[in-house]
């Protein structure tokens, strides 16, 4: 039996068993990434699509995804590779690619405006070993690295990657324990600790998807943005007000089709609330 140290679930796995996220397996008594180098999606995307609005604007980034996720968001837009039955079929048809080949591909696309690699689409941190190896090579080749994550990982994982990642977009999906625990199968306190450390290591932008009836009150947005504004550089200097926040519109999809899309006016109103504390607030999907 071996314990996984990546996220709050701390899955205990017997030899050959796979964890809750579907991306980690116990092999030779150690829990490791089963999805190492297994690629389900590869695309040259605008940096703004990650979304990152204040990092290399106008550039492209070679975006790579594998399979598996440690959360269970019922509205997941990437459920075909994250946690549906289809995700496990995607796993079987994924193509294996080495960090060396991925970096060479990123270099090839440099002439088309590519800045480097983005680890995204599924939850990259459940396969952090591949992120580390590819990001290290990309840095050595003079490229940049972007991580798009739900931030549900132990700080030890973040420290392994910290030196190689130049920018992150981290989901801060809401600001109540109930929402994270009951609807998403997550852990708000782990995400907060991750964000608080990440802002000290690299450029960070945050995304909050506004789901009608769940996390859409002005009071919750006020508490969330106040907390972000209070983030520090580790030496008591407050830097949080400069952390960009994307307030994003929900659309019914996957297993959450029982409500309408968030009204555009509500997204704008909540973005205005966040602006009381934060300098860079963007309304997304509107
Ligand atoms: S990363 Fe996966 S295997 Fe590890 S504790 Fe989390 S859900 Fe379990």
């Amino acid at each position: 039996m071996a314990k996984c140290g990546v996220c709050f679930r701390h899955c205990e796995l017997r030899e050959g068993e796979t964890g809750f996220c579907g991306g980690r397996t116990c092999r030779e008594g150690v829990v490791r990434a089963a999805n190492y180098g297994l690629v389900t999606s590869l695309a040259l995307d605008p940096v703004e699509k990650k979304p990152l609005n204040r990092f290399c604007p106008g550039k492209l980034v070679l975006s790579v995804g594998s399979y598996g996720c440690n959360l269970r968001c019922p509205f997941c837009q990437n459920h075909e590779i994250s946690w549906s039955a289809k995700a496990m079929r995607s796993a079987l048809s994924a193509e294996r690619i080495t960090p060396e080949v991925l970096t060479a591909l990123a270099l090839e696309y440099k002439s088309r405006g590519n800045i480097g690699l983005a680890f995204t689409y599924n939850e990259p941190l459940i396969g952090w070993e591949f992120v580390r190896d590819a990001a290290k090579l990309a840095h050595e080749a003079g490229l940049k690295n972007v991580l798009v994550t739900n931030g549900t990982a132990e700080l030890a994982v973040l420290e392994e990657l910290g030196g190689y990642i130049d920018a992150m977009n981290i989901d801060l999906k809401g600001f109540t324990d109930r929402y994270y625990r009951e609807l998403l199968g997550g852990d708000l306190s782990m995400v907060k600790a991750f964000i608080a450390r990440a802002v000290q290591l690299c450029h960070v932008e945050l995304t909050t998807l506004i789901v009608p009836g769940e996390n859409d009150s002005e009071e919750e947005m006020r508490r969330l943005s106040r907390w972000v504004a209070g983030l520090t550089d580790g030496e008591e200097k407050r830097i949080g007000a400069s952390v960009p926040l994307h307030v994003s519109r929900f659309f019914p999809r996957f297993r959450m089709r029982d409500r309408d899309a968030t009204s555009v006016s509500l997204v704008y109103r909540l973005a205005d609330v966040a602006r009381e504390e934060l300098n860079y607030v963007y309304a997304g999907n509107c």
Side-chain angles (χ1 to χ4, degrees):
M1 205 75 141
K3 202 184 221 183
C4 177
V6 171
C7 85
F8 71 98
R9 295 184 184 279
H10 295 134
C11 298
E12 292 197 23
L13 305 176
R14 287 193 198 85
E15 190 66 19
E17 262 183 351
T18 298
F20 178 88
C21 58
R24 300 187 71 76
T25 309
C26 180
R27 292 261 177 254
E28 294 161 2
V30 178
V31 181
R32 30 183 126 223
N35 63 3
Y36 188 99
L38 288 172
V39 171
T40 59
S41 326
L42 192 66
L44 198 54
D45 282 342
V47 166
E48 286 80 0
K49 204 175 155 188
K50 297 304 101 190
L52 289 172
N53 278 18
R54 300 187 64 79
F55 178 79
C56 301
K59 295 289 190 182
L60 300 173
V61 64
L62 184 62
S63 304
V64 61
S66 185
Y67 63 85
C69 188
N70 50 357
L71 299 190
R72 289 294 178 265
C73 308
F75 44 75
C76 181
Q77 60 180 343
N78 288 329
H79 58 89
E80 293 187 355
I81 55 168
S82 60
W83 67 274
S84 62
K86 272 188 186 168
M88 290 308 110
R89 287 202 289 279
S90 303
L92 296 175
S93 59
E95 280 189 39
R96 196 174 286 281
I97 188 167
T98 63
E100 288 78 8
V101 169
L102 187 62
T103 305
L105 208 54
L107 277 172
E108 223 175 283
Y109 286 131
K110 215 173 160 184
S111 57
R112 287 169 56 180
N114 181 37
I115 57 162
L117 294 173
F119 303 92
T120 177
Y121 303 135
N122 73 315
E123 174 46 53
L125 293 179
I126 63 166
W128 64 270
E129 297 93 330
F130 183 75
V131 175
R132 175 199 59 199
D133 296 350
K136 184 169 184 284
L137 280 185
H139 257 194
E140 284 166 12
L143 297 166
K144 295 193 185 308
N145 294 304
V146 168
L147 181 72
V148 182
T149 176
N150 62 34
T152 309
E154 297 284 357
L155 293 183
V157 174
L158 177 57
E159 297 301 338
E160 289 277 354
L161 302 178
Y164 306 122
I165 303 297
D166 302 286
M168 296 188 198
N169 185 292
I170 308 174
D171 284 333
L172 181 53
K173 292 173 187 275
F175 213 62
T176 64
D177 290 324
R178 179 207 66 82
Y179 182 59
Y180 260 90
R181 196 176 50 243
E182 292 177 15
L183 203 83
L184 315 178
D187 183 312
L188 175 59
S189 60
M190 176 167 261
V191 176
K192 284 165 71 179
F194 190 94
I195 292 171
R197 178 65 182 136
V199 297
Q200 297 166 359
L201 297 172
C202 67
H203 176 81
V204 170
E205 303 194 15
L206 303 174
T207 298
T208 304
L209 182 79
I210 304 300
V211 181
E214 298 292 345
N215 61 351
D216 57 350
S217 72
E218 291 189 17
E219 185 267 330
E220 184 168 341
M221 179 53 76
R222 201 160 274 121
R223 287 195 301 114
L224 183 153
S225 48
R226 214 167 265 162
W227 178 80
V228 174
L231 294 171
T232 69
D233 66 352
E235 309 215 334
E236 293 181 17
K237 184 180 167 207
R238 281 162 66 106
I239 55 170
S242 302
V243 173
L245 175 68
H246 301 259
V247 181
S248 205
R249 190 178 178 214
F250 158 91
F251 289 96
R253 53 167 63 101
F254 190 36
R255 295 193 181 170
M256 191 178 259
R257 295 173 186 270
D258 60 342
R259 60 201 82 195
D260 293 334
T262 322
S263 78
V264 171
S265 59
L266 176 61
V267 173
Y268 285 145
R269 195 164 76 240
L270 293 179
D272 278 340
V273 169
R275 286 188 189 104
E276 292 167 10
E277 299 284 345
L278 306 175
N279 299 333
Y280 308 107
V281 180
Y282 305 96
N285 293 342
C286 288

